């Protein structure tokens, strides 16, 4: 393996290891045993989903218990604003403007993190253990201040780790952090399932059924994620070596799932954000809304499906700009056979992308909700959803592609150096 690639992999693993260490650093002044007992009794609702995405840091009330979700939520808000206001969208496309754009996201992340940290701190005030212990062991006002500062520092550290992985490591840093958080809970989930089978709380045939659902989900994800539509492109100005009259034929690859894993992450962040705020209230109407957004309920999964469809179209329109592609093709002398360059090419690409996005959006919605429905009918006593499987498989595939691309690039550089 190339030394440069090995260094990038080691850097990525080192930062992910640091992330996992931070998950075991609790906020000062909290009774960790009471928090863990509370999360164990709420493993099949919004708190269970939130704990899963944080890599079980929430059940320890770690300084990174809010995870990377505040950053993702602020990114969603900025993407929506950039699509609404042309000046902000123009800022995002410019090199200097992109730095300002990212700075705004960081400031917004600080605001969201502080609000969520205060909400969580107030919610812990009424939390107690079975033996009468209180979750907060110091003065409430002091604890709120300490928790806000600690969680803000933890979220900023996570954001910095994600950026460092993206710049110096392999893969997308934010996606890998979520990936590592989900994967870290797999051993305990396997152990918990074995205990349920041993205590006869879970039938062995149900476990077999769950494995079949998981394998079918993984197979479907790999099949769709590897699928693409190739649109042939002809370059009239380029010629094949030793054949001046023959045109070079290339193609534009359009993935079936253009938006990748972003829509499920965005949908989860949007739906979990009010849950972390509403849990601090004792008002019966607010509690009713909180119960309404329970991930173990049909309405939550219906909202997830709808949000995923929306974000799939929204994000696909950002990552696949047909107007820019058509202009670049025209500038380079390329064209789609049978389609006029310029606006006709953009309209054709937009039509193809829209059809693929419809299928990709439905696929994402079904993958994120259908496994939960199947497992729900089996009477499984814990939360399971396709979103986590989708994130793990998609991020793994994307990381493998980046490693493969890096290996090919190193081979070309080696051939160039030796003069071949």
């Amino acid at each position: 393996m190339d030394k440069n690639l090995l260094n990038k992999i080691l850097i990525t693993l080192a930062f992910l290891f640091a992330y996992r260490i931070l998950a075991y650093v609790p906020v000062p002044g909290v009774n960790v045993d009471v928090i863990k007992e509370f999360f164990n009794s709420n493993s099949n609702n919004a708190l269970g989903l939130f704990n899963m995405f944080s890599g079980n840091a929430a059940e320890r009330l770690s300084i990174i218990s809010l995870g990377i979700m505040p950053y993702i939520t602020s990114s969603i808000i900025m993407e929506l604003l950039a699509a609404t206001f042309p000046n902000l969208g123009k800022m995002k496309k410019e090199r200097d403007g992109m730095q300002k754009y990212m700075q705004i996201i960081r400031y917004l992340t600080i605001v969201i993190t502080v609000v969520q940290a205060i909400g969580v701190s107030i919610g812990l005030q009424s939390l107690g253990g079975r033996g009468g212990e209180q979750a907060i062991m110091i003065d409430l006002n002091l604890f709120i201040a300490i928790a806000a500062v600690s969680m803000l520092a933890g979220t900023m550290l996570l954001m910095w780790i994600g950026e460092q992985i993206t710049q110096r490591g392999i893969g997308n840093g934010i996606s890998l952090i979520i990936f590592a958080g989900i994967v870290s809970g797999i051993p305990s989930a396997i152990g918990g399932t074995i205990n349920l089978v041993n205590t006869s709380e879970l039938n062995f045939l149900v476990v077999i059924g769950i494995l079949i659902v998981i394998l079918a989900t993984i197979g479907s994800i790999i099949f769709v994620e590897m699928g693409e539509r190739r649109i042939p492109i002809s370059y009239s100005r380029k010629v094949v070596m030793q054949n001046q009259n023959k045109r070079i034929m290339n193609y534009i690859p359009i993935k079936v799932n253009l938006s990748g894993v972003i829509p499920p992450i965005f949908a989860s962040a949007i739906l979990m954000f009010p849950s972390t705020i509403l849990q601090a209230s004792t008002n019966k109407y607010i509690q009713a809304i909180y119960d309404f957004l329970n991930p173990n309920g049909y309405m939550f999964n219906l909202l997830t499906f709808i949000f995923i469809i929306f974000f799939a179209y929204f994000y696909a329109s950002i990552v696949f700009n047909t107007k820019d592609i058509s202009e670049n093709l025209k500038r380079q002398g390329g064209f789609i056979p049978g389609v006029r360059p310029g606006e006709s090419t953009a309209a054709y690409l937009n039509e193809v992308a829209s059809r693929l996005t419809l299928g990709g959006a439905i696929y994402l919605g079904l993958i994120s909700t259908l496994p939960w429905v199947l497992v729900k009918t089996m009477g499984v006593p814990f939360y399971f959803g396709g979103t986590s499987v989708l994130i793990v498989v998609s991020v793994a595939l994307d990381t493998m592609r980046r490693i493969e691309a890096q290996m090919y690039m190193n081979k070309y550089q080696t051939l160039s150096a030796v003069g071949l």
Side-chain angles (χ1 to χ4, degrees), residues 243-316:
N243 191 345
Q244 300 293 326
N245 298 320
K246 186 176 180 181
R247 293 173 178 171
I248 292 179
M249 293 297 295
N250 290 324
Y251 60 87
I252 299 176
I254 306 179
K255 294 182 63 177
V256 175
N257 179 24
L258 274 171
S259 52
V261 74
I262 297 299
I265 295 177
F266 277 14
S268 299
I270 289 293
L271 290 173
M272 285 194 297
F273 176 71
S275 297
T276 57
I277 301 298
L278 298 178
Q279 67 178 341
S281 176
T282 57
N283 186 284
K284 63 178 182 179
Y285 297 106
I286 295 180
Q287 283 296 316
I289 298 174
Y290 176 77
D291 295 336
F292 181 78
L293 295 176
N294 188 340
N296 211 30
Y298 289 98
M299 187 54 64
F300 177 90
N301 285 273
L302 177 61
L303 291 175
T304 299
F305 187 89
I306 294 172
F307 281 165
I308 286 175
I309 297 292
F310 168 75
F311 283 121
Y313 273 96
F314 172 74
Y315 199 73

Side-chain angles (χ1 to χ4, degrees), residues 336-351:
I336 300 174
V339 180
R340 292 175 61 87
E343 294 183 1
S344 298
T345 298
Y348 176 78
L349 291 174
N350 189 55
E351 181 182 357

